[in-house]
Amino acid sequence: MSTKAYYPINEIGKGQPGFATTRSIIEAPFYGNNVIKVNTLREAYELAKDSPGTVVTDMPVYRGEEFGLDKDAKVLLFNDGAITGRYATARRIAGEPGVNCGALDKVVMDAVYETRWKTMYHAEVYAGLDPEFMVKVHLLIPEGEENILYNWMLNFQYMSDEYAKMYKASKPVGDGKEADIYIFSDPQWNGSDRPGVDLSCLSDPKCLCYFNTDQNCAAILGMRYFGEHKKGTLTMVWALANRNGYASCHGGQKEYNLTDGSKYVASVFGLSGSGKSTITHAKHGGKYDVTVLHDDAFIINSDTCSSVAIEPTYFDKTQDYPTGCEDNKYLLTAQNCSCTLDEDGKIQLVTEDIRNGNGRAIKSKLWSPNRVDKIDAPVNAIFWIMKDPTIPPIVKLKGASLASVMGATLATKRSSAERLAPGADPNALVVVPYANPFRTYPLANDYEKFKKLVEEKNVDCYIINTGDFMGKKVQPKDTLGILEAIVDKTAQFKQWGPFSDIEIFEWEGFVPDLHDAVYAEQLKARMEDRVKFVANTATVKEGYDKLPDDALAALQKIVEELK
């Protein structure tokens, strides 16, 4: 099997794979006499439906019996309270400079102790949906948090007969040395002072997301928002994949099956709200036969360039899906939305972020009609989605170092899916390497993986700007039109001004004027920001995320060419 759950007696002990301090703290409570095993989605649905505060809407789950629910299942709504987004500040990652694992372990030990007075639920899912890469993940969470449990089992792959057989036949990840992933969660934890526990190791004394990815375990404390559990799980899976020869991707991937029999596989990388889901699911007016891998989480084999989806469903914003729209037919659950009665007295969701920002829903796999779990064809192109007002709607990057470092310095704006620390400017342009704020390993690992795809596997690399270009909004029709021109091979790229390693496809209405002194200065300033970011990796966090010298040189060359 892909990850290891059972051990011969002679493989149990100190120094053996799967046995270390943090993991030992987190795994033990899964076997407590206060733990109830939740084996099926039907069980999880009933628990969530009956959980206090759950709204059982009158919206049916479409074809729910096809993925483990009863035919009469309804869309469940649950609201978390004031917190409706992820909180990066709470993350603590073992191995990073300044992270005191000894102190964090004690926090978790005491949190585990406190749950002895609670009934706990234990659920299991698969992450990775193809025999090439499947791992088993366990979640332990208290009674009262049934909606998180149910959403988690929906978001990842529950243990259906089909996937259980697939998992049994799948190849061991890491030559059988990778253990199952264990996640301990207590959203009810409040960070109270306890003897022997020092909360100064936390950035916020009321919550913690503690990841020890080398030991395949994590603890999530004081965090109600389901997105913490989804992304927390993906954090663990991406780290495991990175160790075993894959590029971990927070983005979307689609395959165009062209009339001449060829295929074009495009991967798009962007934060929530950047347009990656729109691009991934775009049907292009029926112009192409399109296959979708996923719009949020997948991995690319850095040797074969094939790709595997990590999760079957979609955790999507409800902001752009008004009550009654066709897409809402595929909803399974909703979070942080409102509801009301229609003319027939039926309970209907109220979406469009009327209640709060970042309303969310889990949509079934059926939402994308041509969905697959693996794309065997090698990836053809990477698109870094940026919201940098100095970048035209499309440019092409030549040279593996530049292509990868531009992903490492991906500039964008914060999304409403994030809970920001007090005083943080939500409108500031920020760098989020590879659009993945969930990395738990040195940045150089991703840099080398994406560089290899361009340098050795001949993958093309582009930047697409889905925000504003010097005050003019780039519309979805512009972005999709550009993508279609690239797929159809009609896009005419030429050298962009003085840049020897950047080409431009001039899109009407968005042609940059490098002779405009104001524009040229702003472009130079944004490139210098990237130079500064990469240079700082040598010292920030004691150089933990230092990028190779060729990454800095590729950016410095652009700045020099602007002079």
Side-chain angles (χ1 to χ4, degrees):
M1 294 186 190
S2 283
T3 47
K4 198 159 185 173
Y6 305 101
Y7 295 84
I9 291 294
N10 65 345
E11 292 184 14
I12 298 174
K14 193 170 185 177
Q16 299 270 32
F19 298 93
T21 300
T22 309
R23 184 181 181 84
S24 297
I25 294 166
I26 287 172
E27 184 179 356
F30 280 79
Y31 311 112
N33 59 7
N34 60 329
V35 174
I36 296 173
K37 190 77 177 291
V38 180
N39 295 301
T40 67
L41 263 184
R42 284 184 175 87
E43 292 174 57
Y45 173 82
E46 290 299 324
L47 289 169
K49 178 172 70 72
D50 296 335
S51 185
T54 300
V55 177
V56 182
T57 74
D58 289 303
M59 301 168 63
V61 171
Y62 179 63
R63 289 163 56 181
E65 65 275 17
E66 294 181 21
F67 39 87
L69 294 172
D70 288 331
K71 195 169 185 177
D72 62 351
K74 298 292 194 293
V75 174
L76 303 184
L77 166 65
F78 190 81
N79 294 325
D80 301 320
I83 305 302
T84 59
R86 298 188 309 271
Y87 190 34
T89 304
R91 293 167 71 90
R92 286 288 177 269
I93 299 164
E96 286 196 352
V99 173
N100 186 339
C101 288
L104 290 166
D105 286 343
K106 288 193 175 183
V107 172
V108 178
M109 288 172 79
D110 222 60
V112 167
Y113 174 81
E114 291 297 323
T115 61
R116 67 178 289 235
W117 312 109
K118 304 175 182 180
T119 297
M120 304 291 286
Y121 296 117
H122 173 193
E124 300 174 353
V125 295
Y126 301 126
L129 305 178
D130 185 83
E132 179 184 333
F133 184 91
M134 296 179 76
V135 300
K136 189 187 289 184
V137 189
H138 303 254
L139 175 68
L140 190 66
I141 195 165
E143 183 178 25
E145 308 299 340
E146 293 82 2
N147 282 276
I148 293 176
L149 175 84
Y150 176 50
N151 284 324
W152 186 77
M153 291 180 72
L154 283 172
N155 188 89
F156 296 97
Q157 179 57 53
Y158 79 98
M159 294 184 170
S160 68
D161 291 343
E162 176 192 358
Y163 281 91
K165 288 176 185 175
M166 189 186 299
Y167 183 74
K168 195 169 184 179
S170 63
K171 70 178 191 179
V173 179
D175 297 322
K177 294 179 181 177
E178 294 285 3
D180 285 4
I181 294 171
Y182 280 84
I183 299 174
F184 171 83
S185 171
D186 185 2
Q188 300 156 15
W189 183 84
N190 62 10
S192 301
D193 288 332
R194 296 282 185 251
V197 176
D198 180 6
L199 298 179
S200 68
C201 62
L202 311 183
S203 60
D204 185 323
K206 296 295 183 184
C207 50
L208 170 66
C209 282
Y210 175 31
F211 299 100
N212 195 317
T213 51
D214 285 347
Q215 298 179 29
N216 286 347
C217 63
I220 304 174
L221 304 178
M223 314 287 270
R224 299 176 190 162
Y225 177 57
F226 168 67
E228 301 287 4
H229 295 76
K230 169 192 163 69
K231 293 300 189 186
T233 303
L234 287 174
T235 291
M236 302 298 299
V237 176
W238 276 324
L240 193 156
N242 170 72
R243 283 199 298 273
N244 289 281
Y246 293 87
S248 296
C249 304
H250 181 220
Q253 189 180 97
K254 68 198 301 185
E255 180 180 56
Y256 296 83
N257 305 297
L258 304 177
T259 53
D260 63 1
S262 66
K263 298 178 183 296
Y264 189 89
V265 180
S267 299
V268 295
F269 296 79
L271 288 184
S272 299
S274 67
K276 63 183 166 65
S277 293
T278 300
I279 294 169
T280 304
H281 293 290
K283 297 179 175 62
H284 300 279
K287 184 177 177 181
Y288 307 99
D289 173 26
V290 172
T291 302
V292 172
L293 182 71
H294 203 260
D295 68 357
D296 190 61
F298 63 98
I299 54 176
I300 300 174
N301 186 313
S302 60
D303 290 322
T304 67
C305 295
S306 63
S307 306
V308 177
I310 301 299
E311 49 194 6
T313 56
Y314 306 98
F315 185 48
D316 202 11
K317 292 174 179 287
T318 57
Q319 180 180 7
D320 299 323
Y321 299 97
T323 302
C325 83
E326 180 65 17
D327 293 81
N328 289 348
K329 177 171 79 172
Y330 302 100
L331 298 186
L332 301 174
T333 64
Q335 304 90 43
N336 301 319
C337 294
S338 190
C339 56
T340 193
L341 299 176
D342 65 15
E343 67 270 24
D344 299 318
K346 304 285 190 183
I347 300 175
Q348 301 288 345
L349 286 177
V350 175
T351 55
E352 301 178 278
D353 282 2
I354 294 171
R355 178 187 183 270
N356 50 262
N358 199 40
R360 288 278 176 163
I362 295 181
K363 292 178 178 172
S364 80
K365 198 174 187 176
L366 300 172
W367 181 47
S368 183
N370 299 314
R371 174 66 199 277
V372 294
D373 291 340
K374 182 181 183 183
I375 291 181
D376 286 303
V379 60
N380 294 100
I382 290 167
F383 295 84
W384 308 128
I385 305 176
M386 302 205 193
K387 288 191 173 182
D388 179 340
T390 67
I391 301 284
I394 182 73
V395 294
K396 185 175 184 179
L397 305 173
K398 298 194 300 179
S401 296
L402 179 62
S404 191
V405 78
M406 284 302 249
T409 58
L410 190 144
T412 190
K413 291 188 176 180
R414 291 295 189 193
S415 102
S416 62
E418 298 173 84
R419 172 188 170 198
L420 301 181
D425 180 2
N427 297 312
L429 204 62
V430 293
V431 170
V432 183
Y434 304 104
N436 190 350
F438 314 106
R439 180 180 303 96
T440 58
Y441 46 85
L443 180 56
N445 291 19
D446 275 350
Y447 175 80
E448 295 295 351
K449 292 265 179 27
F450 287 106
K451 182 182 174 184
K452 177 181 177 180
L453 291 176
V454 176
E455 189 170 53
E456 297 181 22
K457 306 301 179 180
N458 300 313
V459 176
D460 290 331
C461 188
Y462 303 86
I463 298 173
I464 48 179
N465 177 10
T466 58
D468 294 335
F469 176 64
M470 300 307 291
K472 185 177 180 180
K473 179 71 177 79
V474 181
Q475 302 293 334
K477 64 180 181 180
D478 297 310
T479 302
L480 295 177
I482 287 165
L483 190 55
E484 290 174 12
I486 292 172
V487 171
D488 293 337
K489 299 183 175 64
T490 60
Q492 299 293 318
F493 283 91
K494 63 180 183 180
Q495 182 175 338
W496 183 24
F499 304 118
S500 54
D501 294 328
I502 306 179
E503 294 180 340
I504 187 169
F505 171 33
E506 293 185 339
W507 192 250
E508 186 177 353
F510 296 92
V511 179
D513 180 5
L514 286 168
H515 297 294
D516 180 333
V518 174
Y519 171 67
E521 278 303 310
Q522 288 195 37
L523 176 62
K524 183 179 178 182
R526 296 293 76 75
M527 291 300 173
E528 287 175 336
D529 287 345
R530 290 175 169 86
V531 169
K532 184 178 179 181
F533 176 87
V534 173
N536 285 345
T537 62
T539 55
V540 173
K541 290 199 293 187
E542 300 176 22
Y544 180 81
D545 283 325
K546 184 182 184 304
L547 289 174
D549 292 342
D550 61 290
L552 183 59
L555 288 173
Q556 287 173 328
K557 182 179 178 183
I558 293 175
V559 173
E560 287 297 318
E561 288 173 335
L562 262 172
K563 289 180 178 177

